[in-house]
Amino acid sequence: MFEPEQPNSGYLSELLIRVRGWVNTLEDKYTEIISEDFEWTTKVEGMVRAASYMITFGRSEFVSELVYAFGNIMVLFNDYFLLSALRRKSKQPLLKKIIFRALTILETFQASIEMFTKRYLGEKSKWIAVTVISLLKSLSRALLVFYLRTGLYHCQAAQSVDRQLLKRHPAEGEVGDEVVATSVGKAWVGSRTHKVIRSVDDDTNRPYDELRESHTQFQNLLGPDEVPWSHLSKTQLIAEGVYTVKPIVHLLSMAAFGETSLKSWTIALSMDLLSLYLMEMEGNDFHKPELQELSKRRFNFLYYVMRSPVYDKYFKTRLMSILGYFANRVPLFGRLIALFN
C-alpha cells in the first residue's frame, strides 16, 4: 500500500535553526544601531509620533491613530532591546512579563481597533470588539493581581525608560529581594519593604544617601514590567478587583439601560470611587509607578464631566456658548469650535 512520504524532520530542524539565527542576527544588529546613539533613536520615535498629527488626507483619523500607536510600540520595543543589550537581570515570572507586554500592546492599539471596526464593519461590530477587548484586559489584570500577586496594576502604554540616565549609569543588577550593584556601591533591597540597605559585600565608603539615590536611578532604568510591586492587603485586593471588573459592569449596564442613560454613568463613577476609597483606606508603601497610577485614577474623575451623557446634557451647550463668545473676538476660535461639533 502506498504511503505518503514523511517530511524530513532533520531538514525542518535545520531550517528552524537557520531562521532563528537570522532573527538573532537582525536583533543584534538593530540593538547595536539604536544603542550607539540614544538621541537619534528618540528623535526617530518623536518623528513617527509627530507624523500622526500631520496626516491630513481623507479619513485620516484612523490612519493618524494607527501611526501614533505604532510610534508608542516602537518606543516599547526599543526600550526592551536597549535593556536586553545591557543584560539586565530580572526575577519576575515569565508569565507576568508576557501578560504585561500583551496588555500594553492591546491598550495601545485599542482605539485603532475600535475605529477600524466601526468604519468598515459597522456600529454593532465595534461594540463586539470593545466587549472582547474589555474581557481580555479584565482577565489579564485579574491574573496579574490575584494569581501572580503583582500589586497595584499600573500599566502605562509604551512607558519609556530614562535613556539619558541609562547612558550615564549602565550598571547591571537584579530586581527583587537581592543584592543590586549600583554605580556607587552594592545595596540589598527588600522585595516587601523596598528599603535599601548597604550590602555586607560593599567595600565602598560612600554615604548612604548616595547609595539610595543610585538605587533609585537603577529602578528608573527598568521597564514597567520589571519594577517590584507592592503586596496588597485583602481590602486593597477587593479594591483592585472592583477596578478590574468595572469595564465589564459598565458595558453590561449600557446594554441594559442604554448608552445615554445616567444609570450606567453613575455605576461606573461609583465603582471608581469605591475602588479608590478602599485602596487608600489602608496605608501602604507603594512604589513610584503605583503612586503615579493612583494619581492618574484620581485625575480621571475629571473626565467623567466630559463623558456622555453628562457632557451632552449639562455641559456641551454652555461650553459651546462660551467658545462662541470668544470665536467672535479671538481669531482661530471658530476652528476650535468646529472640532467639538
Side-chain angles (χ1 to χ4, degrees):
M1 183 176 180
F2 176 76
E3 294 183 359
E5 294 184 3
Q6 299 295 328
N8 191 337
S9 58
Y11 173 77
L12 291 177
S13 300
E14 183 180 353
L15 180 61
L16 289 175
I17 293 174
R18 288 184 179 181
V19 171
R20 185 180 301 175
W22 294 335
V23 172
N24 291 336
T25 301
L26 289 175
E27 180 180 336
D28 293 340
K29 187 63 177 178
Y30 180 75
T31 304
E32 181 182 351
I33 292 174
I34 64 176
S35 300
E36 289 178 353
D37 192 346
F38 292 166
E39 294 182 0
W40 176 84
T41 304
T42 304
K43 287 179 181 178
V44 172
E45 295 165 351
M47 289 172 62
V48 174
R49 286 174 168 175
S52 65
Y53 297 101
M54 301 177 185
I55 297 174
T56 56
F57 50 85
R59 295 188 175 184
S60 60
E61 292 110 2
F62 168 69
V63 179
S64 176
E65 182 65 33
L66 190 63
V67 172
Y68 187 81
F70 176 76
N72 286 334
I73 294 300
M74 191 175 177
V75 173
L76 177 70
F77 280 96
N78 283 344
D79 285 345
Y80 169 76
F81 288 130
L82 288 172
L83 293 173
S84 299
L86 296 173
R87 296 181 176 86
R88 297 288 178 186
K89 299 177 183 178
S90 175
K91 297 180 65 178
Q92 304 298 338
L94 178 61
L95 180 60
K96 172 189 169 182
K97 290 184 178 182
I98 294 174
I99 294 176
F100 196 99
R101 288 168 185 168
L103 270 173
T104 302
I105 295 173
L106 184 61
E107 291 185 353
T108 301
F109 285 102
Q110 180 175 356
S112 301
I113 295 172
E114 293 176 8
M115 294 173 67
F116 176 84
T117 53
K118 180 179 180 180
R119 174 166 295 172
Y120 298 104
L121 301 177
E123 186 73 17
K124 184 177 179 180
S125 298
K126 187 201 84 168
W127 285 110
I128 293 175
V130 170
T131 303
V132 172
I133 291 173
S134 298
L135 283 171
L136 289 174
K137 289 169 62 176
S138 296
L139 290 174
S140 300
R141 290 174 179 177
L143 281 174
L144 288 174
V145 175
F146 298 104
Y147 179 70
L148 296 174
R149 298 285 179 168
T150 53
L152 181 65
Y153 176 78
H154 57 269
C155 182
Q156 299 178 7
Q159 180 182 4
S160 178
V161 299
D162 190 339
R163 293 177 182 174
Q164 294 299 324
L165 190 61
L166 186 65
K167 188 175 182 179
R168 295 195 304 268
H169 301 279
E172 294 186 4
E174 276 193 15
V175 186
D177 201 14
E178 294 288 344
V179 173
V180 175
T182 68
S183 58
V184 296
K186 294 182 179 180
W188 184 88
V189 185
S191 60
R192 183 179 62 84
T193 62
H194 323 310
K195 290 184 178 180
V196 182
I197 302 175
R198 190 183 298 277
S199 171
V200 294
D201 297 330
D202 181 35
D203 55 358
T204 64
N205 295 319
R206 297 296 184 92
Y208 171 74
D209 290 341
E210 291 187 17
L211 186 66
R212 183 174 56 183
E213 176 64 22
S214 180
H215 174 261
T216 301
Q217 293 178 345
F218 169 78
Q219 282 199 324
N220 290 337
L221 301 180
L222 300 173
D225 60 329
E226 294 184 342
V227 177
W229 293 358
S230 302
H231 293 268
L232 301 180
S233 64
K234 291 183 179 180
T235 303
Q236 290 170 331
L237 284 174
I238 294 174
E240 198 65 8
V242 171
Y243 183 81
T244 299
V245 301
K246 185 206 71 176
I248 304 301
V249 175
H250 186 217
L251 286 173
L252 291 175
S253 63
M254 289 176 66
F257 305 117
E259 297 181 32
T260 59
S261 174
L262 277 173
K263 293 181 180 179
S264 58
W265 181 90
T266 305
I267 290 173
L269 177 61
S270 301
M271 294 185 72
D272 271 339
L273 287 171
L274 177 62
S275 173
L276 190 61
Y277 172 75
L278 293 176
M279 184 63 68
E280 296 183 340
M281 189 169 63
E282 298 183 13
N284 201 341
D285 187 15
F286 290 114
H287 285 285
K288 183 178 178 181
E290 294 172 321
L291 293 174
Q292 291 175 344
E293 174 63 22
L294 287 176
S295 299
K296 176 184 174 183
R297 294 183 186 182
R298 296 188 198 99
F299 184 78
N300 283 343
F301 285 116
L302 297 177
Y303 288 126
Y304 274 95
V305 177
M306 304 301 294
R307 289 178 181 174
S308 179
V310 172
Y311 171 74
D312 294 333
K313 291 182 178 180
Y314 302 106
F315 293 99
K316 184 176 181 179
T317 303
R318 293 182 177 87
L319 181 60
M320 290 299 103
S321 62
I322 294 173
L323 291 177
Y325 172 82
F326 286 102
N328 297 328
R329 292 163 176 80
V330 180
L332 300 180
F333 254 80
R335 294 177 178 269
L336 180 62
I337 294 177
L339 295 176
F340 286 87
N341 289 327

